[in-house]
Amino acid sequence: MKKSIGIDLGTTNSVVAVKKVSTEVLKNAEGEYITPSCVMVKKRLMRKPEFIVGRDALEWIRQEPEHTITAVKRLIGRDFHEKEVQELISKQSLPYQLSTHSRGSANSLALQIGGREFTPEEISAKILAKLKADAEAALGDEVDAAVITVPAYFNDKQKHGTRTAAALAGLKVRRLLPEPTAAAISFGVDKISGDDGRTVLVFDFGGGTLDLSILTISGGRIIEMGKGGDMWLGGEDIDQLLIDYVLEETAKEEGIEDIRALIGQQKPARKNKFLAELKTAVEKAKIALSDQEETCIEILGVLLDQDGDPLDVEVELPRTRFDAMMAPLLKSMLGLVRGVIADVHFTEDLIDNVLLVGGSSRIPCVINSLQEEFGQDKVLLHERPMLAVAEGAAILSHRLADTVECPQCTRNTAQNVTTCSYCGFDLEGHTVEHGVVEIVHAAAHDYYIKLENDQRFLMVEKNTPLPCSSTEVFQLVDAEQELVHMKFYNVVNRKEQGIGDLWLGIDQDEEREKVERGKEEGDEEEKAARKPVVPSRIEITLDIDENNLVSVNATLLNHPDVALSRTLSRGKADEKLFLELEQALSDADKEQYSTYTVIDLQNRARSIIGFINGVIDPKNDTVDEKRYEQARKQIHKAIKIAANEELL
Ligand code: AMP
């Protein structure tokens, strides 16, 4: 029977679990529970590249860092021009180049590796494909579906990207589950009985992110009250602090004025080897300090000084020094914690438990500062902090599967029946006692629509229970407007993040005809009483499903029969075409083309819009190359015809 698994698709590491009678974390092909979220692109002469994923890929970081990708989760669903992406580039922390995608708009992102370009979704799909294949080998069964966890504050575009990656890996996504909710499920909080309601703060501090969630749980119902955190605060930032410290101390000790310049002067292979060893050594030191009072970071015989002599790095690191280094980070961490509690209008005394998961939650000063904030008894550390999220996902995946294994007779029976069809076991009673009955999801962010005149409207407020639907009617500024461009965005940590655009083509011919007719017909009185042409009104409905995924429907109220586009474009090839078309219309306007030419161009644009809307396959975001080329040709033809008409 096809299996449904739970996947914690982490920034640094990924974990797969399955629930049969009990929950089991699955070992990968290397015999480990944790698979590094690392992909190596191996170039092959005249052939498609080969992908190495996991621990084996990690080994390549030293030898071929420019072909090895870590933390791709930080890039998924992002735009090249986003501040965070630009920061990553300016820090020079990536050994490969990022750019916009040659087939995408400015809102796209591509990784340039070995002369090829990859989207973050394609790289992420390689990780998911390995997790799927290894799970199949471990279970001896086909895996077709999964609950995949995502950070609570992933915006719609990032979730869409995750879903695309899963589709490319051949996985059906049963639910995109916020990581904190998954963690809470694995703590067993869903088993709290009816009257014994509880409010918990899930504190998930992993490799790349800090995820915070406030959940209330009672009678098997988990309600997400609020969420927050920081997508750019995790173990890797702590590693970076340590790297800076080690370099500073070494420079001081050896009397080097600019140690970064010295590293830059090393031959590329030596430099990459040194940086990779430094990264590994500081992470090891950090982990060691979770159990011991001091440690030492050593990298011997790799770095060379100005004279070409070996320069050994040997830096003592007592935990007290580490704690002092962590102070600013702990301060911002507590600021985020207080912020998320205030967001839901709670106070700290209303939090019954703080559930700690994620590798970085093992750090003693992190635990201490939370204990000081909430009281020692309230802070609970998960027994397996790095596996908790996958376990929670597996429990939900099991609940959502079409069939389940009866806990009594172990035969497969339909999920939606109350008693086992083979042995009569009370399945419903068992579920209520032993697991999640229902998760009430809430909107992760505020959802806004921005119109061309930069007017913004709040469509859905953060923490609105999901699924939800919101409808607004907008009046176009220009009665003659044929192409409408709307932008949708989330507000995350008080910053705007674009999640996709929508282009609509409006047939104004009918309206225009009416006006022309009106000019001729009727007596003067009738003409005076006749209303001027009213700009079109558009009704926009934004639907958000349980996974926080958005779909948009648009109806033109003046012409309800006109079919309008409803797919958000997210920086891909379709968006590039839409922008080209928009530019052509704007150029025609700027150049003051004749009314005839503009109308003709608009008419062509309208039919092209419908065509562009079919360029991306909504299931897996792949480009229909033939359609793309046809649309591109149509745009260029329209531009040429307009230019020729002007010359006549
Ligand atoms: P996760 O994303 O939950 O897999 O966590 C990975 C992060 O946890 C990495 O940055 C690890 O360096 C860090 N980590 C794992 N174990 C420990 C530990 N015992 N102490 C401190 N950090 C740890």
Side-chain angles (χ1 to χ4, degrees), residues 8 10-13 34 204-208 234-236 239 283 286-287 290-291 357-363 385-386:
D8 169 9
T11 307
T12 325
N13 296 309
I34 289 172
D204 181 356
F205 199 14
E236 295 204 4
D239 299 345
E283 187 179 9
K286 172 188 73 175
I287 293 175
S290 290
D291 296 315
V357 287
S360 303
S361 70
R362 291 232 178 137
I363 298 173
M386 289 167 82

Side-chain angles (χ1 to χ4, degrees), residues 293-331:
E293 290 299 323
E294 59 182 338
T295 186
C296 181
I297 296 153
E298 284 182 341
I299 302 150
L300 309 177
V302 183
L303 201 59
L304 300 181
D305 67 13
Q306 296 285 12
D307 306 321
D309 296 326
L311 193 155
D312 289 341
V313 169
E314 280 182 282
V315 176
E316 298 283 338
L317 182 61
R319 193 195 278 169
T320 46
R321 184 73 196 82
F322 176 66
D323 288 356
M325 233 183 284
M326 287 282 289
L329 196 143
L330 295 179
K331 199 169 156 217

Side-chain angles (χ1 to χ4, degrees), residues 90 132 138 170 181 195 197 205 221 238 242 252 272 275 352 360 372 411 432 477 496 511 513 549 562 598 635:
S90 65
K132 176 179 185 284
T181 309
D195 308 329
F205 199 14
R221 255 180 130 216
I238 302 172
L242 289 176
K252 245 192 267 166
N272 290 336
L275 291 177
D352 296 304
S360 303
E372 273 168 32
R411 279 195 266 190
V432 174
V477 189
E496 272 182 26
E511 286 297 308
E513 264 169 39
L549 286 169
V562 177
V598 171
I635 295 172

Side-chain angles (χ1 to χ4, degrees), residues 389-417:
V389 169
E391 287 180 7
I395 294 168
L396 186 66
S397 199
H398 178 256
R399 281 272 321 134
L400 297 174
D402 302 330
T403 55
V404 286
E405 206 167 89
C406 169
Q408 186 167 280
C409 70
T410 72
R411 279 195 266 190
N412 286 318
T413 179
Q415 177 80 263
N416 56 2
V417 296

Side-chain angles (χ1 to χ4, degrees), residues 203-276:
F203 180 94
D204 181 356
F205 199 14
T209 61
L210 170 65
D211 252 332
L212 302 170
S213 252
I214 296 178
L215 311 173
T216 59
I217 301 122
S218 79
R221 255 180 130 216
I222 297 190
I223 303 173
E224 294 167 5
M225 303 293 291
K227 56 195 70 130
D230 190 339
M231 201 170 162
W232 303 84
L233 186 66
E236 295 204 4
D237 302 275
I238 302 172
D239 299 345
Q240 193 55 49
L241 282 180
L242 289 176
I243 288 174
D244 293 344
Y245 174 73
V246 170
L247 294 182
E248 256 172 51
E249 288 296 300
T250 309
K252 245 192 267 166
E253 196 130 307
E254 303 287 335
I256 303 164
E257 207 167 294
D258 188 348
I259 191 160
R260 287 184 191 274
L262 179 76
I263 297 167
Q265 286 158 14
Q266 313 280 317
K267 286 215 173 107
R270 187 175 289 279
K271 180 179 114 182
N272 290 336
K273 183 168 191 284
F274 175 74
L275 291 177

